[in-house]
Amino acid sequence: MKKLLIISKSIDGGTGTFTLQLLEIGRLFKDKYEVGVLCMERPSLRSITENQKIRYMHTRNYYPNKHTLHNSIIYFFIDLRNVYLYVKNTDPDVIIAVNYYSNILISILRIFRLVNTKIVLTHHNNIRAILEKKCSTIMRYLLQIGIPLLFNQSLNIAVSKYLSFDLERSLNIRNMKVIFNGVKLNNISTQKIKKHRNIISIGRFDGQKDFFTLLRAFTDVNKKIKDTRLIIMGDGRDKKKMVSYILKNKLSEVIRIIKWQTNVNKYYSNSALFVLSSFYEGFSYTTIEAMSNGIPVIATDSPYGPREILKNGRYGILVPIKDEKKMSDAICLLLTDPKKYLYFSNQSLKRAEYFNLDKMISSYKTLIDSLFEADLK
């Protein structure tokens, strides 16, 4: 039996969903693979029962929001040592690193020959936007030089084609392959017009998700369509500002902010529309989750996931980033035009079939198998 280790900084958000989904390889192919997870910090947004296959290195909210050269060096070397010791003690046959921090850690250990195992690096977000948002100027410069040197020693997996193109073009990362994220499909064949006018959005309450554009757009929508309601699910450092906006504009009766829920499908089934307001994405799990429930999607045309998921607007409505007017107009259009609503509802169901979780798991299992088959040649 081969041992597969997944290394992830966090199991919150989309990368957390991805990490937990990869545990399915161990369940579905338990006679062939034993799968475990090493997570840098305990989750702060996701509620999860204790799992013997998940090990945590730190408490929740362990890392700073802004990385300077000084604090990055301290956190990095602590984590480098911890990952090295864990890998040495568990001796996995394959390591799948999830997103950039984990990718960098395991790549450095490999370059210094401190790990001797097969490595797959996975890329889930717009790295240029992350470097701009979270790193100081010196840190950005060092990482832009160092990342290609580190990552080109391994197989790299991107979760969307546009993300893959950008990594190859802007950072000269090679050995790229695309495997789309997936969701469990619901047993829904056709949709009906929903009597309620609930709009839902899900994500971390931070700058990337730009919930304030959605709040402003909904303020306009609610003036035109009085029975509309907005549900925003998640948590994060912008929560107080969001609540302040709601109270200031006297919207507390029509906007609900709720924490992350285990059974998200229950909320999708009671929603008429899903809106993604992000500045940038690598893919967007919540978008395809909503589509698998037959909900029409309105998404910002942010790099890189939404345009690819919605196929240039064929399967949902794309609006410009930070354009509350266009977002409001799109919401009003779908809520007042039954023909448009049913069209995009059924388009959501069609597109969700393409992002099937079984397909994703099968692709990763085939990839892992191929790593061992290469040794036999």
Side-chain angles (χ1 to χ4, degrees), residues 170-372:
S170 63
L171 289 174
N172 196 30
I173 296 177
R174 300 187 297 273
N175 306 319
M176 292 293 306
K177 180 180 176 65
V178 176
I179 298 179
F180 293 112
N181 291 338
V183 293
K184 289 184 178 179
L185 299 180
N186 295 293
N187 188 24
I188 301 172
S189 56
T190 56
Q191 280 290 84
K192 298 178 181 178
I193 296 292
K194 295 189 176 181
K195 294 180 180 179
H196 49 70
R197 305 286 187 99
N198 296 340
I199 301 159
I200 189 168
S201 189
I202 301 174
R204 296 185 314 277
F205 299 165
D206 66 11
Q208 176 188 344
K209 302 301 181 179
D210 189 24
F211 282 114
F212 290 99
T213 291
L214 172 59
L215 286 170
R216 290 190 292 269
F218 177 77
T219 302
D220 182 60
V221 169
N222 190 249
K223 291 175 182 177
K224 298 172 182 176
I225 308 173
K226 295 298 183 182
D227 60 342
T228 49
R229 300 290 183 271
L230 174 63
I231 298 170
I232 304 179
M233 182 186 297
D235 205 343
R237 61 179 180 271
D238 283 349
K239 183 176 181 178
K240 288 183 179 179
K241 293 180 181 178
M242 292 165 63
V243 171
S244 177
Y245 176 93
I246 293 167
L247 293 175
K248 182 180 178 181
N249 290 277
K250 300 179 181 180
L251 295 167
S252 54
E253 292 186 5
V254 293
I255 299 179
R256 288 178 59 202
I257 291 181
I258 60 176
K259 64 182 181 180
W260 181 269
Q261 303 291 312
T262 303
N263 184 11
V264 182
N265 283 337
K266 177 178 71 175
Y267 290 86
Y268 284 134
S269 64
N270 289 317
S271 299
L273 294 177
F274 175 84
V275 179
L276 180 79
S277 53
S278 299
F279 282 131
Y280 63 90
E281 289 283 346
F283 185 73
S284 178
Y285 261 112
T286 53
T287 298
I288 57 173
E289 283 176 347
M291 296 176 85
S292 72
N293 282 272
I295 303 174
V297 167
I298 297 165
T300 49
D301 192 8
S302 56
Y304 293 99
R307 174 170 287 271
E308 193 161 346
I309 292 173
L310 301 182
K311 208 166 185 179
N312 302 322
R314 179 178 174 182
Y315 293 98
I317 297 178
L318 290 166
V319 297
I321 296 169
K322 213 172 182 178
D323 193 329
E324 59 203 69
K325 176 67 166 58
K326 291 285 180 64
M327 186 177 288
S328 170
D329 290 345
I331 293 171
C332 290
L333 172 66
L334 291 182
L335 291 180
T336 57
D337 187 331
K339 187 176 180 180
K340 286 272 188 198
Y341 183 92
L342 285 176
Y343 172 77
F344 280 112
S345 177
N346 288 311
Q347 286 294 89
S348 283
L349 289 173
K350 289 179 184 177
R351 189 57 169 164
E353 293 176 3
Y354 186 76
F355 301 106
N356 190 325
L357 178 59
D358 292 338
K359 185 192 295 186
M360 169 192 152
I361 296 298
S362 177
S363 295
Y364 275 98
K365 195 263 183 182
T366 300
L367 173 71
I368 296 166
D369 288 344
S370 69
L371 296 177
F372 295 108

Side-chain angles (χ1 to χ4, degrees), residues 58-120:
H58 308 298
T59 58
R60 63 173 54 93
N61 298 318
Y62 175 77
Y63 298 98
N65 291 324
K66 184 76 173 180
H67 295 286
T68 64
L69 183 60
H70 175 70
N71 69 25
S72 295
I73 288 174
I74 295 172
Y75 286 104
F76 185 78
F77 278 102
I78 291 172
D79 289 343
L80 197 67
R81 176 182 178 274
N82 289 341
V83 171
Y84 164 69
L85 291 175
Y86 190 85
V87 171
K88 182 180 178 181
N89 290 333
T90 56
D91 191 27
D93 298 289
V94 180
I95 293 173
I96 296 181
V98 181
N99 228 2
Y100 300 110
Y101 188 68
S102 300
N103 291 347
I104 292 171
L105 282 171
I106 202 64
S107 295
I108 286 179
L109 291 176
R110 176 174 183 164
I111 280 182
F112 286 98
R113 301 183 185 278
L114 295 174
V115 298
N116 183 25
T117 186
K118 302 176 187 304
I119 293 173
V120 178

